[in-house]
């Protein structure tokens, strides 16, 4: 009769049980090690990770679609692991839309964290638009501040929105598109102009006419404190049927905006509708993007009988009611 061991198990079965338990334990260890290795492999970046490549996550993109896209782009090895991590990190909030840049290969854990909380890896750039700058000048500013920007496309869009790009200091991602920038500038314009819409409606002029006059005032006053007086003089000239004869409108159409190269012959022969020496009334649209001060001046001109003005060599403004007085001011303060 076989002997019974301390556990009540036949002694001849004890070695077999120990072997089975050891075998089972080794299997568990093997599975654990394999899982760790697999998890490590899946968590590490792919060898062909696209460092420095711009990644766009469109608005409303699901976690599942994002995971598949990242796997296809070789940003993560496992779409499923990425999706699982995003759910752990952000629950039902999913991924944040926008543009991302990963300067170096990063683990799926890091990628999931960044997309869950909008850690874009892209710095914002400060861009300041001075009052009165036109679309070409604004395009130059943005192309220098944002090297990735498509300048030609931006300039075309900006030209179409001349006068409506509010001069201010903005902060944009390096990856901002021309459309996004124009929309931001136009939205700021709408916000700033909204309190003055009633005054525009009462002015007897259209919004575009007010903006066109404001853009001229911005250039002609050059930021001086005579905006309202210049506004009054220019509106006086229009009301009396006189041509504005403003250099700034003519220069707007020239590639080389150099006052020193402006000739009387060139002005008289230029057919441009922006040539206020040759055409009556306001030009067809703004010649720049005025600030709020010039918009207010266009709406609130100083009432006077003056029809002419100059700025002397020291920057002082001199006004005149008649052409002879104007010529006298030129001789006294500009020659």
């Amino acid at each position: 009769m076989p002997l019974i061991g301390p556990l009540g198990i036949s002694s001849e079965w004890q070695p077999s049980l120990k072997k089975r338990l050891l075998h089972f334990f080794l299997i568990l260890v093997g599975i654990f090690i394999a899982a760790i290795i697999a998890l490590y492999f899946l968590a590490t970046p792919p060898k062909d990770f696209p460092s420095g490549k711009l990644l766009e996550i469109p608005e409303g993109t699901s976690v599942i679609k994002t995971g598949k896209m990242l796997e296809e782009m070789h940003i993560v090895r496992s779409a499923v692991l990425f999706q699982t991590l995003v759910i752990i990190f952000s629950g039902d909030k999913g991924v944040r839309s926008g543009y991302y840049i990963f300067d170096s290969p990063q683990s799926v854990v890091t990628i999931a964290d960044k997309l869950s909380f909008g850690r874009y890896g892209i710095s914002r750039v400060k861009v300041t638009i001075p009052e009165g700058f036109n679309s070409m000048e604004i395009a130059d500013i943005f192309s220098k501040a944002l090297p990735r920007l498509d300048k030609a496309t931006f300039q075309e869009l900006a030209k179409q929105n001349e006068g409506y790009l509010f001069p201010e200091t903005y902060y944009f991602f390096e990856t901002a598109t021309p459309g996004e920038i124009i929309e931001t500038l136009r939205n700021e314009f709408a916000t700033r102009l909204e309190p003055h819409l009633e005054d525009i409606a009462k002015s007897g002029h259209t919004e575009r006419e007010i903006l066109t006059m404001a853009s001229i005032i911005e250039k002609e006053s050059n930021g001086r404190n005579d905006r309202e007086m210049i506004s009054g003089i220019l509106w006086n000239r229009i009301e009396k049927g006189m041509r504005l004869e403003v250099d700034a409108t003519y220069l707007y159409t020239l590639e080389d905006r150099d006052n020193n190269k402006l000739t009387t012959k060139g002005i008289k022969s230029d057919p441009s509708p922006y040539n206020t020496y040759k055409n009556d009334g306001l030009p067809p649209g703004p010649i720049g993007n005025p600030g709020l001060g010039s918009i207010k001046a266009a709406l609130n001109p100083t009432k006077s009988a003056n029809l002419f003005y100059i700025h002397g060599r020291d920057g002082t403004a001199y006004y005149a009611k008649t052409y002879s007085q104007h010529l006298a001011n030129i001789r006294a303060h500009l020659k």
Side-chain angles (χ1 to χ4, degrees):
M1 181 176 179
L3 297 175
I4 302 300
L7 297 179
I9 301 175
S10 173
S11 59
E12 65 183 35
W13 282 94
Q14 289 183 21
S16 176
L17 179 61
K18 290 180 180 179
K19 287 181 180 181
R20 289 182 180 182
L21 290 174
L22 178 61
H23 182 66
F24 180 71
F25 175 75
L26 292 176
I27 291 175
L28 288 179
V29 170
I31 293 173
F32 179 75
I33 292 174
I36 293 296
I37 293 174
L39 188 61
Y40 176 78
F41 174 77
L42 293 175
T44 55
K47 291 183 178 180
D48 50 355
F49 187 98
S51 297
K53 185 175 181 179
L54 183 66
L55 169 67
E56 179 185 4
I57 305 296
E59 186 73 33
T61 305
S62 68
V63 176
I64 294 176
K65 187 175 181 179
T66 300
K68 291 180 179 178
M69 178 174 64
L70 295 179
E71 187 175 306
E72 291 172 359
M73 294 177 65
H74 300 164
I75 293 176
V76 301
R77 294 182 186 273
S78 170
V80 174
L81 181 56
F82 167 82
Q83 295 156 5
T84 302
L85 288 169
V86 170
I87 293 172
I88 293 172
F89 290 152
S90 64
D92 59 357
K93 293 181 180 179
V95 295
R96 299 286 183 90
S97 61
Y99 293 91
Y100 295 82
I101 287 182
F102 307 109
D103 293 329
S104 60
Q106 298 175 29
S107 71
V108 66
V109 178
T110 302
I111 300 294
D113 173 77
K114 289 186 174 181
L115 269 65
S116 295
F117 300 103
R119 309 186 204 280
Y120 301 99
I122 305 172
S123 60
R124 288 183 182 267
V125 178
K126 179 181 178 181
V127 183
T128 299
I129 302 174
E131 293 181 342
F133 267 39
N134 61 43
S135 56
M136 290 183 65
E137 294 167 322
I138 292 175
D140 287 338
I141 290 175
F142 274 99
S143 65
K144 291 175 182 176
L146 307 174
R148 297 173 183 269
L149 185 70
D150 182 340
K151 184 178 179 180
T153 300
F154 179 85
Q155 189 166 307
E156 182 180 351
L157 289 174
K159 183 74 172 179
Q160 296 170 11
N161 290 276
E162 193 81 89
Y164 298 83
L165 309 176
F166 196 79
E168 183 58 274
T169 295
Y170 299 89
Y171 292 86
F172 289 98
F173 285 120
E174 297 172 1
T175 53
T177 65
E180 291 170 342
I181 295 171
I182 296 299
E183 182 180 6
T184 298
L185 271 56
R186 284 220 48 151
N187 287 342
E188 184 67 18
F189 166 83
T191 299
R192 297 298 190 92
L193 194 67
E194 198 277 333
H196 307 283
L197 292 179
E198 185 176 345
D199 291 335
I200 292 175
K202 293 178 180 179
S203 70
H205 301 286
T206 66
E207 180 180 298
R208 188 169 181 81
E209 288 172 339
I210 291 296
L211 289 178
T212 300
M213 178 60 82
S215 70
I216 296 173
I217 294 169
E218 195 76 71
K219 293 291 187 181
E220 289 293 293
S221 68
N222 199 24
R224 300 181 180 91
N225 296 322
D226 55 356
R227 289 188 178 99
E228 288 77 12
M229 180 61 79
I230 289 178
S231 175
I233 291 173
L234 294 178
W235 285 125
N236 282 348
R237 292 179 71 87
I238 290 176
E239 289 172 6
K240 291 182 177 297
M242 299 172 65
R243 289 175 179 168
L244 290 179
E245 298 184 350
V246 174
D247 290 353
T249 59
Y250 173 71
L251 292 171
Y252 177 68
T253 61
L254 301 181
E255 290 185 4
D256 187 350
R257 295 179 172 81
D258 187 346
N259 280 316
N260 295 323
K261 295 182 179 180
L262 190 63
T263 64
T264 302
K265 182 179 180 180
I267 293 173
K268 289 182 177 179
S269 63
D270 192 323
S272 169
Y274 285 87
N275 185 352
T276 53
Y277 283 90
K278 189 173 183 178
N279 301 291
D280 297 331
L282 288 165
I287 61 171
N289 297 275
L292 205 54
S294 291
I295 294 174
K296 290 179 179 179
L299 286 168
N300 301 283
T302 297
K303 301 297 182 181
S304 77
N306 293 320
L307 293 171
F308 305 90
Y309 63 88
I310 64 166
H311 290 103
R313 287 181 293 270
D314 61 353
T316 302
Y318 298 93
Y319 311 111
K321 298 176 183 178
T322 66
Y323 187 61
S324 60
Q325 292 174 346
H326 179 57
L327 291 177
N329 283 338
I330 292 175
R331 288 192 295 271
H333 305 291
L334 289 179
K335 293 184 178 180

